[in-house]
Amino acid sequence: HCDCKFIMADVSDPEIREAVEDVRDDNTDTDWVAFGYKGKSKVEIEVKAKGNTGHEGLMEICTPDALLYCLLRHVMGDQESRRVKFVSITFVGENVGGMARGRVGAHSGSVKMLFGQLNESFAADEPAECTLEIIEARLKIVGGADYDAGSNKTGYKSRGSTIKAKSLAAYQKAEKTGTVKAVVYETAPLPNTTPVDLSGRKTVAPPTEAKKNIKDNTVDTKKYEGTGSTYKGKGTVYEAKPATKKPPVSGRKPSISSEKPKPAEKPKPAAEKPQPKTEEITSPAAALDEPLSDDPEERARQRAERRRLRREESARQAKAEVEALRANLVTKKDEPLPEPEAEPE
C-alpha cells in the first residue's frame, strides 16, 4: 500500500518559456533545450542545458543518470523542400529510480504544453532509442510528402531551363504539323438559311417562320430561291420593301395654338367620409339579422352586441326550462298516490 500522491509539475520559471521561444525562433541558432528537476525538488522544473549543436549535442547530456524533457529543432528535406520539424524527447536514463520514473508520466504533459506544436514525440531510456536515423524515419512517415527519392543525396543540379526549352521546341513542332489553317472570313450572305438561336428566340425571323423551313428534319432550301440578298463587291445590299405610311388616327390634324396653357387647378381637399348611421336595436332577432357594417369599429360593436344577445337568449331559455320543471314537480306532488294492489289469496 502506497500513500504517495503526484501533483502537477511547477513550470512557472520564466526562463523555461524563454528557452522554448529561443528554439522555435527562426532567427536564432539555438536548436535544442533540455529541462529537468531543480536540485532535490520533485516538482520544480528548470533549464538544464541548451545549444546549437543539433541532435549530436543533445545526446551528449543524455547519460544513464539523466531525467530530461527535451525539445529538438530539426531541418529536413533537400533543395526541393526544406522543412523545420520540432521533436519532443522524454529521456529517462537506465539508472533513474522507480519513484522518479513514476513522476514522469504526471509531469511530462505539463512540460510538453509549453513546447507548442510538435511533429513527433519520443520516450527513450538510452540514446540508441532516439538516434537521428530513427527520428528522421518517423518524421518522414508522419510528414506525408517526401520529395527525396534518393537522387539528391549526392547533390542537386537544377534542369528547369532545359526542360522549358524542350517543351517549347516540342510545342512548336506539333503546331507546324497541325491541321489548323488561317482564318477565312465569309463576306457573302447565306441566302438559303434563316438564322435562329437554340432557344427559339427571334433573330431575323420569328420561331414560327423558322419551323416552316423544316420538312421531315430537312431544311427546305427551295423556299428562298431568288429571295436572298445580293453581293456587289461593296458590302451586302438587301432588297428593302417600300415603306408604307400609317393611317392617321383622326381625319383632323391637331392645331397648334399660341395661347399659354392654363395653370393646373389645385386638387380640392377630400371630403370627410361620413360615418355610417346605426339604428337602435329594437329586438334580439332584428339585431341578429342586421347586416354587418363595412366600418371596422361598427362591425366589431355589432358582433359584440350579437354575442351579448345570444347569451341573454340562452339564459332566458334556461330559466324557462327550470320554471317548467318546477311546475311539473308541484303538479305531481298534489296528485293522490295509487292504491296498492291486493295480493291474491
Side-chain angles (χ1 to χ4, degrees):
H1 180 70
C2 179
D3 295 333
C4 58
K5 182 173 65 174
F6 297 116
I7 61 176
M8 300 297 290
D10 182 6
V11 291
S12 59
D13 188 356
E15 293 184 1
I16 298 176
R17 296 180 181 273
E18 293 177 1
V20 172
E21 292 176 358
D22 191 18
V23 173
R24 301 189 71 94
D25 191 355
D26 295 334
N27 299 320
T28 62
D29 296 333
T30 306
D31 53 9
W32 64 268
V33 61
F35 304 98
Y37 294 97
K38 184 177 182 179
K40 296 182 179 182
S41 175
K42 298 179 181 180
V43 294
E44 191 175 356
I45 305 296
E46 68 174 356
V47 179
K48 289 296 184 180
K50 63 179 181 178
N52 57 359
T53 52
H55 176 269
E56 183 179 357
L58 176 60
M59 290 296 103
E60 292 179 357
I61 64 171
C62 293
T63 61
D65 298 326
L67 196 164
L68 301 172
Y69 304 99
C70 309
L71 175 63
L72 173 66
R73 175 192 179 96
H74 183 62
V75 180
M76 288 188 60
D78 50 29
Q79 287 84 350
E80 293 287 348
S81 175
R82 303 292 291 175
R83 305 180 297 278
V84 177
K85 305 293 183 180
F86 293 96
V87 180
S88 168
I89 302 175
T90 302
F91 187 86
V92 182
E94 297 178 351
N95 299 336
V96 176
M99 293 297 295
R101 289 177 178 271
R103 290 194 294 270
V104 172
H107 295 171
S108 60
S110 302
V111 180
K112 286 183 180 180
M113 288 179 63
L114 301 177
F115 288 171
Q117 184 178 0
L118 298 171
N119 299 101
E120 190 56 283
S121 298
F122 293 86
D125 293 340
E126 56 183 12
E129 296 178 354
C130 56
T131 61
L132 186 60
E133 290 76 12
I134 295 176
I135 293 175
E136 289 184 344
R138 290 272 294 273
L139 290 175
K140 282 186 177 182
I141 293 174
V142 300
D146 182 13
Y147 300 102
D148 186 5
S151 60
N152 297 328
K153 292 183 178 180
T154 58
Y156 178 81
K157 183 179 179 181
S158 176
R159 296 188 301 168
S161 58
T162 305
I163 295 173
K164 183 177 180 181
K166 288 183 178 180
S167 300
L168 179 60
Y171 178 79
Q172 291 175 346
K173 182 179 179 181
E175 192 177 34
K176 291 179 180 179
T177 59
T179 58
V180 179
K181 298 180 180 180
V183 179
V184 178
Y185 296 94
E186 182 65 42
T187 57
L190 302 176
N192 296 328
T193 58
T194 301
V196 293
D197 61 355
L198 297 178
S199 61
R201 293 177 296 182
K202 294 181 179 180
T203 53
V204 298
T208 54
E209 292 296 327
K211 292 180 180 179
K212 293 179 182 179
N213 299 339
I214 299 175
K215 292 182 179 179
D216 298 332
N217 297 331
T218 305
V219 179
D220 185 11
T221 58
K222 296 182 179 181
K223 177 180 179 180
Y224 294 95
E225 289 183 356
T227 60
S229 58
T230 57
Y231 179 66
K232 298 181 180 180
K234 294 184 180 181
T236 303
V237 179
Y238 293 92
E239 298 176 0
K241 295 182 180 180
T244 57
K245 296 183 180 181
K246 295 183 179 180
V249 178
S250 60
R252 184 179 60 183
K253 294 184 179 180
S255 59
I256 301 174
S257 177
S258 60
E259 296 180 0
K260 295 182 179 180
K262 297 180 180 180
E265 297 181 358
K266 295 183 180 179
K268 297 181 180 180
E272 296 182 358
K273 184 178 180 181
Q275 297 293 335
K277 297 181 180 180
T278 57
E279 298 179 358
E280 296 182 358
I281 298 174
T282 57
S283 64
L288 294 175
D289 296 337
E290 181 186 3
L292 295 176
S293 174
D294 295 336
D295 184 57
E297 295 181 358
E298 180 63 20
R299 186 166 57 251
R301 189 197 65 76
Q302 289 177 341
R303 288 176 176 173
E305 184 66 20
R306 289 186 179 186
R307 290 193 293 270
R308 184 184 65 81
L309 294 175
R310 290 193 186 98
R311 290 195 297 269
E312 291 180 356
E313 182 65 19
S314 299
R316 187 187 62 78
Q317 293 178 1
K319 185 177 180 180
E321 293 177 359
V322 171
E323 293 295 337
L325 183 60
R326 286 179 179 177
N328 190 16
L329 291 176
V330 171
T331 304
K332 290 184 178 181
K333 185 177 180 181
D334 295 340
E335 292 180 357
L337 296 175
E339 295 181 0
E341 298 179 359
E343 297 180 0
E345 295 181 358

